[in-house]
């Protein structure tokens, strides 16, 4: 085994440099030693969209995109989906280890004690138009929380941070349910803290004073599994946003609302919504081949397919596909499922998708389940954001505790005009 260094020769000057390698990485700032003259700024690396740049060191989530592996704190996602609950998984992410029975009870109690939202939030939700997109409501409601809990600004105080985490995980489902009830013009149901995390959400959304009302445990369990699968996914667009905005030391509510905004986009968490519109647009299994041909010609994307990191079947999609069939046994089958299965079958045999390593991702089947559970399409991204809050907050705390992190501030390559003098408007 040779040395853990990289030797580079700058052919502009003929000088050779030895750069240390640690964790299979060179430090971008080490490139700055490579200069053509003393005045030269030094070499930078150019990496649009962070295709090959590690922005942090992390101990939270491990992904091997080539092998299709996803682990939270070392635990395989398949085992967590089968054996854990969302609240236990959120604890695992935030505190680093699985809880004992006592700690889990304590944790569930901490969260359920923070499920009631401030009346200001109720009024805020009511101020939106009846057809306001729920993600717009969530972004606003989260940022409004920073005005209700101004002590959250003390981001260096671990105790203060922990309290905001309980509040956020407790209140997000209530915000989701209230936003939904506002949309359908029904009175709000306040949280029932005797129910599980997902059962409480379903209760707050659905309950209409029926005497014999009970949350369907199969559906609550299916939603809980989906929440586990969505809880974290290392440095994706919204998590990088959480870390980036949080690096300014703003309060967690403001950073979280920025992360939710990033998630809202159709290339990220908004894809589950886009998949349903795509399936509705295809309309019938017989239209699948012509749709695939259009995608191959570049006339649109196969939504729910492809991933920056996974170049193999997304392990979450495999679990979701199974959950979908379980849910459809308890509800009515979703007619769009047939189209989705056919799309997947054809795409996985087609050279366009094979050569680009495009496989179904987490969003391909999740929307079908949400639809079967009775959620309106616009709520799908909200259902991604609720569980991801645990991941965003864990990553935020890790960033704040990391001595190497500072305010995020990328460099640029300036290619604009060189200096020119201002010309009065009449002379232009
Ligand atoms: N349908 C058709 N072609 C695709 C797709 C797709 N869904 N995804 C990528 N490609 C093609 C792309 O056109 C390009 O082809 P070429 O090399 O000929 O130009 C090649 O595959 C590489 O694509 P890319 O855009 O460079 O890949 P990326 O890593 O920048 O994009 C992605 C990743 C997820 C944004 C992209 O695959 C995509 O747009 N997928 C559809 C949207 C989607 O499902 N998003 C959810 C992501 S998973 C949930 C989450 O964490 O957000």
């Amino acid at each position: 085994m040779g040395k853990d260094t990289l030797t580079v020769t700058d052919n502009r000057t003929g000088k050779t440099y030895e750069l240390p390698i640690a964790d299979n990485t060179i430090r971008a700032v080490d490139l700055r030693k490579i200069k053509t003259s003393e005045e030269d700024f030094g070499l930078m690396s150019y990496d649009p969209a962070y295709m090959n740049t590690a922005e942090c060191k992390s101990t939270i989530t491990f992904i091997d995109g080539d092998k299709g592996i996803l682990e939270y704190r070392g635990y395989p996602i398949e085992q967590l989906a089968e054996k854990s609950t969302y609240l236990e998984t959120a604890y695992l992410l935030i505190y680093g280890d699985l809880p004992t029975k006592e700690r889990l009870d304590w944790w569930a109690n901490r969260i359920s004690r923070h499920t009631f939202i401030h009346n200001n939030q109720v009024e805020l939700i009511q101020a939106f138009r009846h057809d306001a997109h729920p993600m717009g409501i969530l972004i606003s409601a989260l940022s409004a929380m920073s005005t209700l809990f101004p002590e959250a600004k003390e981001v260096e105080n671990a105790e203060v941070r922990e309290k905001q985490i309980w509040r956020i995980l407790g209140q997000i489902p209530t915000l989701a349910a209230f936003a939904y009830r506002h949309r359908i013009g029904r009175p709000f149901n306040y949280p029932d803290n005797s129910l599980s995390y997902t059962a409480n959400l379903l209760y707050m959304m659905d309950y209409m004073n029926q005497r014999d009302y009970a949350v369907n445990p199969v559906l609550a369990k299916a939603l809980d599994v989906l929440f586990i699968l969505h809880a974290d996914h290392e440095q994706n667009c919204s998590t990088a946003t959480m870390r980036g905005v949080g690096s300014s030391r703003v309060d967690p509510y403001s950073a979280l609302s920025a992360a939710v905004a990033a998630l809202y986009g159709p290339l990220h968490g908004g894809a589950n919504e886009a998949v349903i519109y795509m399936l509705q647009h295809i309309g019938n299994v017989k239209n699948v081949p012509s749709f695939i041909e259009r995608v191959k010609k570049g006339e649109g994307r196969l939504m729910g397919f492809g991933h920056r990191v996974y170049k193999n079947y997304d392990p979450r999609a495999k679990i979701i596909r199974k959950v979908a069939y379980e849910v459809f046994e308890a509800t009515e089958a979703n007619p769009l499922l047939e189209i989705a299965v056919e799309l997947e079958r054809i795409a996985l045999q087609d050279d366009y998708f094979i050569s680009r390593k495009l496989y179904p991702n987490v969003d391909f089947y999740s929307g079908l389940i949400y639809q079967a559970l009775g959620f309106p399409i616009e709520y799908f991204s909200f259902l991604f954001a609720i569980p991801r809050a645990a991941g965003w907050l864990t990553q935020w705390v890790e960033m704040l505790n990391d001595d190497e992190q500072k305010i995020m501030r990328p460099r640029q390559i300036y290619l604009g005009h060189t200096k020119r003098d201002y010309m009065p408007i009449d002379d232009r």
Side-chain angles (χ1 to χ4, degrees), residues 38-52:
E38 264 315 297
E39 302 77 59
D40 185 2
F41 181 76
L43 213 61
M44 293 192 295
S45 60
Y46 175 55
D47 189 13
Y50 296 121
M51 295 292 286
N52 196 37

Side-chain angles (χ1 to χ4, degrees), residues 4 75 99 148 225 227 239-240 260 279 294 298 305 326 349 425:
D4 277 338
Y75 293 98
L148 299 171
V225 172
F227 276 17
T239 302
V260 173
L279 296 175
R294 286 206 300 278
F305 257 66
E326 283 162 18
Q349 291 173 4
I425 196 158

Side-chain angles (χ1 to χ4, degrees), residues 153-376:
K153 285 184 175 44
E154 289 175 48
V155 297
E156 307 294 349
N157 182 328
E159 253 176 63
V160 171
R161 283 199 308 247
E162 193 179 29
K163 178 93 187 248
Q164 312 321 309
I165 292 172
W166 301 336
R167 275 188 179 134
I168 291 166
L169 297 190
Q171 294 192 18
I172 277 202
T174 315
L175 294 175
F178 279 34
Y180 173 73
R181 299 287 286 203
H182 173 62
R183 191 178 178 104
I184 61 168
R186 293 286 183 273
F188 301 130
N189 289 320
Y190 282 83
D192 178 345
N193 294 333
S194 67
L195 297 172
S196 76
Y197 197 74
T198 47
N200 181 40
L201 172 63
L202 292 172
Y203 158 77
M204 287 189 287
M205 292 180 96
D206 292 338
Y207 179 57
M208 291 287 191
N209 279 25
Q210 305 95 318
R211 292 256 150 110
D212 55 350
Y213 181 85
V215 177
N216 183 331
V218 177
L219 304 188
K221 175 68 192 153
L223 193 56
D224 201 72
V225 172
L226 287 173
F227 276 17
I228 293 172
L229 302 181
H230 285 88
D232 193 50
H233 212 236
E234 53 117 307
Q235 307 313 312
N236 49 73
C237 176
S238 55
T239 302
T241 303
M242 181 80 197
R243 281 177 171 263
V245 175
S247 76
S248 74
R249 302 304 188 260
V250 74
D251 67 86
Y253 302 107
S254 302
L256 203 68
S257 93
V260 173
L263 186 76
Y264 186 9
L267 297 187
H268 193 6
N272 49 20
E273 191 176 323
V275 168
I276 298 296
Y277 292 130
M278 174 188 75
L279 296 175
Q280 285 174 341
H281 168 77
I282 295 171
N284 194 300
V285 174
K286 70 177 180 356
N287 300 330
V288 168
S290 59
F291 179 79
I292 296 259
E293 283 315 307
R294 286 206 300 278
V295 169
K296 285 161 62 178
K297 277 192 229 147
E299 297 167 15
R301 291 204 155 190
L302 182 47
M303 299 311 285
F305 257 66
H307 199 275
R308 173 65 57 78
V309 180
Y310 292 119
K311 300 300 167 198
N312 199 323
Y313 215 103
D314 179 337
R316 301 168 299 173
K318 257 190 213 157
I319 301 167
I320 288 186
R321 199 177 197 272
K322 204 167 133 253
V323 174
Y325 284 101
E326 283 162 18
V327 167
F328 296 151
E329 270 177 30
T331 60
E332 282 172 26
N334 189 332
L336 298 178
L337 177 69
E338 209 192 339
I339 303 174
V341 169
E342 181 65 358
L343 263 181
E344 179 187 336
R345 191 187 67 79
I346 298 194
L348 292 183
Q349 291 173 4
D350 191 297
D351 190 52
Y352 175 93
F353 297 92
I354 295 170
S355 62
R356 289 170 179 77
K357 299 190 176 168
L358 300 171
Y359 291 87
N361 61 48
V362 69
D363 290 319
F364 193 64
Y365 286 106
S366 62
L368 292 171
I369 303 181
Y370 296 144
Q371 216 177 23
L373 292 175
F375 291 107

